[in-house]
Amino acid sequence: MLRRFGRPGDPERSARRARGAGRRRGVQGDRGARRDRGATSIFVGICAGALVVVIGIVVDAGGRLRAIENTDARAMEAARVAGQQLDEAAVLQGQGYRVKLDDAQKAADAYLALYGLSGHVALGDGGTEVTVTVNTTYEPVLLSVVTSGMAVTGKGTATLVHGVKEAENG
């Protein structure tokens, strides 16, 4: 019986006892460790993929907001340029200040062409208000695999004023 368990100072006996003690406490030794192999890498892969998607959404949403801001600015500038195209014949005949639609469209198109854009000019309030609408697309940078170009619309309005005698000091 003494041989079966070895002698009290024997290193082999200590190793057997340690293996047996692990089983009694619920640790399954090498077999349990093999079942968990790779579980952490799958979790990290899923989290990394989700993080890339979130970063892509943030970057592309910010890019689209910049595109909207730029398109609005170009439309406002085009409206100002178009608003300077007065109908001179109407002014000379005493019919008041108003914009000539054909000249306004040409001026707005010429300005927008500098930026590779095109727009539509509309007159309102008897020809004293010019509205330019610009449509373009924003191409996503990181999420281009998931979605194609996003529509972006800019709108700018200019109103004719005349007879200003004094500048306003804000």
Side-chain angles (χ1 to χ4, degrees), residues 54-98:
V54 169
I55 290 172
I57 289 170
V58 168
V59 167
D60 285 336
R64 186 165 186 264
L65 287 175
R66 270 192 316 279
I68 290 170
E69 182 181 349
N70 287 337
T71 305
D72 274 340
R74 303 290 182 239
M76 285 187 257
E77 288 295 324
R80 288 184 191 112
V81 170
Q84 295 175 3
Q85 309 309 311
L86 292 177
D87 185 355
E88 295 170 359
V91 172
L92 292 173
Q93 294 171 0
Q95 297 173 355
Y97 295 94
R98 61 182 152 200

Coordinates of all heavy atoms in Angstrom, one line a residue, residues 54-98:
V54 N -18.4 51.8 -36.0 CA -18.7 53.0 -35.3 C -17.8 54.2 -35.7 O -18.3 55.3 -36.0 CB -18.6 52.8 -33.7 CG1 -18.7 54.1 -33.0 CG2 -19.7 51.9 -33.3
I55 N -16.5 53.9 -35.9 CA -15.6 54.9 -36.4 C -16.0 55.4 -37.8 O -16.0 56.6 -38.1 CB -14.1 54.5 -36.3 CG1 -13.7 54.4 -34.8 CG2 -13.2 55.4 -37.1 CD1 -12.4 53.7 -34.6
G56 N -16.3 54.4 -38.6 CA -16.8 54.7 -40.0 C -18.0 55.6 -40.0 O -18.1 56.6 -40.8
I57 N -19.0 55.3 -39.1 CA -20.2 56.1 -39.1 C -19.8 57.5 -38.6 O -20.3 58.5 -39.2 CB -21.2 55.5 -38.1 CG1 -21.8 54.2 -38.8 CG2 -22.3 56.5 -37.8 CD1 -22.6 53.4 -37.8
V58 N -19.0 57.7 -37.6 CA -18.6 59.0 -37.1 C -17.9 59.8 -38.2 O -18.2 61.0 -38.5 CB -17.8 58.9 -35.9 CG1 -17.1 60.2 -35.5 CG2 -18.6 58.4 -34.7
V59 N -16.9 59.2 -38.9 CA -16.1 59.9 -39.9 C -17.0 60.3 -41.1 O -17.0 61.4 -41.6 CB -15.0 59.0 -40.4 CG1 -14.3 59.6 -41.6 CG2 -13.9 58.9 -39.3
D60 N -17.9 59.4 -41.6 CA -18.7 59.7 -42.7 C -19.8 60.6 -42.4 O -20.2 61.4 -43.3 CB -19.2 58.4 -43.4 CG -18.1 57.6 -44.1 OD1 -17.2 58.3 -44.5 OD2 -18.2 56.4 -44.3
A61 N -20.4 60.5 -41.2 CA -21.4 61.5 -40.8 C -20.8 62.9 -40.7 O -21.4 63.9 -41.2 CB -22.0 61.1 -39.5
G62 N -19.6 63.0 -40.2 CA -18.9 64.3 -40.1 C -18.6 64.8 -41.5 O -18.7 66.0 -41.8
G63 N -18.2 64.0 -42.4 CA -17.9 64.3 -43.8 C -19.1 64.8 -44.5 O -19.1 65.8 -45.3
R64 N -20.3 64.2 -44.3 CA -21.5 64.6 -44.9 C -21.9 66.0 -44.4 O -22.4 66.8 -45.1 CB -22.6 63.6 -44.6 CG -23.9 63.9 -45.4 CD -24.9 62.7 -45.4 NE -26.0 63.1 -46.3 CZ -27.1 63.5 -45.8 NH1 -27.3 63.7 -44.5 NH2 -28.1 63.8 -46.6
L65 N -21.8 66.2 -43.1 CA -22.1 67.5 -42.5 C -21.2 68.6 -43.1 O -21.7 69.7 -43.4 CB -21.9 67.5 -41.0 CG -23.0 66.7 -40.2 CD1 -22.6 66.7 -38.7 CD2 -24.3 67.4 -40.4
R66 N -19.9 68.3 -43.3 CA -19.1 69.3 -44.0 C -19.5 69.5 -45.4 O -19.5 70.7 -45.9 CB -17.6 68.8 -44.0 CG -16.8 69.2 -42.8 CD -15.3 68.9 -43.0 NE -15.0 67.7 -43.6 CZ -14.9 66.5 -42.9 NH1 -15.2 66.5 -41.6 NH2 -14.6 65.4 -43.5
A67 N -20.0 68.5 -46.1 CA -20.4 68.6 -47.5 C -21.7 69.5 -47.5 O -21.9 70.3 -48.4 CB -20.7 67.2 -48.1
I68 N -22.6 69.3 -46.6 CA -23.8 70.1 -46.5 C -23.5 71.5 -46.3 O -24.0 72.5 -46.9 CB -24.8 69.6 -45.4 CG1 -25.3 68.2 -45.8 CG2 -25.9 70.6 -45.1 CD1 -26.1 67.5 -44.7
E69 N -22.5 71.8 -45.3 CA -22.1 73.2 -45.0 C -21.5 73.8 -46.3 O -21.8 75.0 -46.6 CB -21.1 73.1 -43.9 CG -20.6 74.5 -43.4 CD -19.6 74.4 -42.3 OE1 -19.4 73.3 -41.7 OE2 -19.0 75.5 -42.0
N70 N -20.6 73.1 -47.0 CA -20.0 73.7 -48.2 C -21.0 73.9 -49.3 O -20.9 75.0 -50.0 CB -18.9 72.7 -48.7 CG -17.7 72.8 -47.8 OD1 -17.4 73.7 -47.1 ND2 -16.9 71.7 -47.9
T71 N -22.0 73.0 -49.5 CA -23.0 73.2 -50.5 C -23.9 74.4 -50.2 O -24.2 75.2 -51.1 CB -23.8 71.9 -50.6 OG1 -22.9 70.8 -50.9 CG2 -24.8 72.0 -51.8
D72 N -24.2 74.5 -48.9 CA -25.0 75.7 -48.5 C -24.2 77.0 -48.8 O -24.8 78.0 -49.3 CB -25.4 75.7 -47.0 CG -26.6 74.9 -46.7 OD1 -27.4 74.7 -47.7 OD2 -26.8 74.5 -45.6
A73 N -23.0 77.0 -48.4 CA -22.1 78.2 -48.7 C -22.0 78.5 -50.1 O -22.2 79.7 -50.5 CB -20.7 78.0 -48.1
R74 N -21.8 77.5 -51.0 CA -21.8 77.8 -52.4 C -23.1 78.3 -53.0 O -23.2 79.2 -53.8 CB -21.4 76.5 -53.2 CG -20.1 75.9 -52.7 CD -18.9 76.7 -53.1 NE -17.7 76.0 -52.7 CZ -16.8 76.6 -51.9 NH1 -16.9 77.8 -51.4 NH2 -15.7 75.9 -51.6
A75 N -24.2 77.7 -52.5 CA -25.5 78.2 -52.9 C -25.8 79.6 -52.5 O -26.3 80.4 -53.3 CB -26.6 77.3 -52.3
M76 N -25.4 80.0 -51.3 CA -25.5 81.4 -50.8 C -24.7 82.4 -51.7 O -25.2 83.4 -52.1 CB -25.2 81.5 -49.4 CG -26.2 81.0 -48.4 SD -25.8 81.3 -46.7 CE -25.2 79.7 -46.2
E77 N -23.5 82.0 -52.0 CA -22.6 82.8 -52.8 C -23.2 82.9 -54.2 O -23.2 84.0 -54.8 CB -21.2 82.3 -52.9 CG -20.4 82.5 -51.6 CD -20.2 83.9 -51.3 OE1 -20.0 84.7 -52.2 OE2 -20.2 84.3 -50.1
A78 N -23.7 81.8 -54.8 CA -24.3 81.9 -56.1 C -25.5 82.7 -56.1 O -25.8 83.5 -57.1 CB -24.6 80.4 -56.6
A79 N -26.3 82.7 -55.0 CA -27.5 83.6 -55.0 C -27.1 85.1 -54.9 O -27.7 85.9 -55.5 CB -28.3 83.3 -53.7
R80 N -26.0 85.4 -54.3 CA -25.5 86.8 -54.2 C -25.0 87.2 -55.6 O -25.3 88.3 -56.0 CB -24.3 86.9 -53.2 CG -24.8 86.8 -51.8 CD -23.6 87.0 -50.8 NE -24.1 86.7 -49.5 CZ -23.6 85.7 -48.8 NH1 -22.7 84.9 -49.3 NH2 -24.1 85.5 -47.6
V81 N -24.3 86.3 -56.3 CA -23.9 86.6 -57.7 C -25.1 86.8 -58.6 O -25.1 87.8 -59.4 CB -22.9 85.5 -58.2 CG1 -22.7 85.7 -59.7 CG2 -21.6 85.5 -57.4
A82 N -26.0 85.9 -58.5 CA -27.2 86.0 -59.3 C -28.1 87.2 -59.0 O -28.7 87.9 -59.9 CB -28.1 84.7 -59.1
G83 N -28.1 87.6 -57.7 CA -28.8 88.8 -57.3 C -28.3 90.1 -57.9 O -28.9 91.2 -57.8
Q84 N -27.1 90.1 -58.4 CA -26.5 91.3 -59.0 C -26.8 91.5 -60.4 O -26.4 92.5 -61.0 CB -24.9 91.2 -58.8 CG -24.5 91.3 -57.3 CD -23.0 91.1 -57.2 OE1 -22.3 91.0 -58.2 NE2 -22.6 91.1 -55.9
Q85 N -27.6 90.6 -61.0 CA -27.9 90.7 -62.4 C -29.3 91.4 -62.6 O -30.3 90.8 -62.8 CB -28.0 89.3 -63.0 CG -26.8 88.4 -62.8 CD -25.5 89.0 -63.1 OE1 -25.4 89.6 -64.2 NE2 -24.5 89.0 -62.2
L86 N -29.2 92.7 -62.5 CA -30.4 93.6 -62.5 C -31.0 93.6 -63.9 O -30.2 93.6 -64.9 CB -30.1 95.0 -62.0 CG -29.7 95.1 -60.5 CD1 -29.4 96.5 -60.2 CD2 -30.9 94.6 -59.6
D87 N -32.3 93.8 -63.9 CA -33.0 94.1 -65.2 C -32.8 95.6 -65.4 O -33.6 96.4 -64.9 CB -34.4 93.7 -65.1 CG -35.2 93.8 -66.4 OD1 -34.6 94.4 -67.4 OD2 -36.3 93.4 -66.4
E88 N -31.8 96.0 -66.2 CA -31.5 97.4 -66.3 C -32.6 98.2 -67.1 O -32.9 99.4 -66.8 CB -30.2 97.6 -67.1 CG -29.0 97.0 -66.3 CD -27.7 96.9 -67.1 OE1 -27.8 97.3 -68.3 OE2 -26.7 96.5 -66.5
A89 N -33.3 97.5 -68.0 CA -34.3 98.2 -68.7 C -35.5 98.6 -67.8 O -36.0 99.7 -67.9 CB -34.8 97.3 -69.9
A90 N -35.8 97.7 -66.9 CA -36.9 97.9 -65.9 C -36.5 99.1 -65.0 O -37.3 99.9 -64.6 CB -37.2 96.7 -65.1
V91 N -35.2 99.2 -64.6 CA -34.8 100.2 -63.7 C -34.9 101.6 -64.4 O -35.4 102.6 -63.9 CB -33.3 100.0 -63.2 CG1 -32.8 101.2 -62.5 CG2 -33.3 98.7 -62.3
L92 N -34.4 101.6 -65.7 CA -34.4 102.8 -66.5 C -35.8 103.3 -66.8 O -36.1 104.5 -66.9 CB -33.6 102.7 -67.8 CG -32.1 102.5 -67.6 CD1 -31.4 102.2 -68.9 CD2 -31.5 103.7 -66.9
Q93 N -36.8 102.4 -66.9 CA -38.2 102.7 -67.2 C -38.9 103.1 -65.9 O -40.1 103.4 -66.0 CB -38.9 101.6 -68.0 CG -38.3 101.4 -69.3 CD -38.9 100.1 -70.0 OE1 -39.7 99.4 -69.4 NE2 -38.4 99.8 -71.2
G94 N -38.3 103.0 -64.8 CA -38.9 103.3 -63.5 C -39.8 102.2 -63.0 O -40.7 102.5 -62.1
Q95 N -39.6 101.0 -63.4 CA -40.4 99.9 -62.9 C -39.9 99.3 -61.7 O -40.4 98.3 -61.2 CB -40.5 98.9 -64.0 CG -41.2 99.4 -65.3 CD -41.2 98.4 -66.4 OE1 -40.6 97.3 -66.3 NE2 -41.9 98.7 -67.5
G96 N -38.8 99.8 -61.1 CA -38.2 99.3 -59.9 C -37.1 98.3 -60.1 O -36.7 98.0 -61.2
Y97 N -36.5 97.9 -59.0 CA -35.3 97.0 -59.0 C -35.8 95.6 -59.0 O -36.6 95.2 -58.2 CB -34.4 97.2 -57.8 CG -33.8 98.6 -57.8 CD1 -34.4 99.6 -57.1 CD2 -32.6 98.8 -58.4 CE1 -33.8 100.9 -57.0 CE2 -32.0 100.1 -58.4 CZ -32.6 101.1 -57.7 OH -32.1 102.3 -57.7
R98 N -35.3 94.8 -60.0 CA -35.6 93.4 -60.0 C -34.5 92.7 -60.8 O -33.8 93.3 -61.6 CB -37.0 93.1 -60.5 CG -37.2 93.5 -61.9 CD -38.7 93.2 -62.4 NE -39.0 94.3 -63.4 CZ -40.1 94.6 -63.7 NH1 -41.2 94.1 -63.2 NH2 -40.3 95.5 -64.6

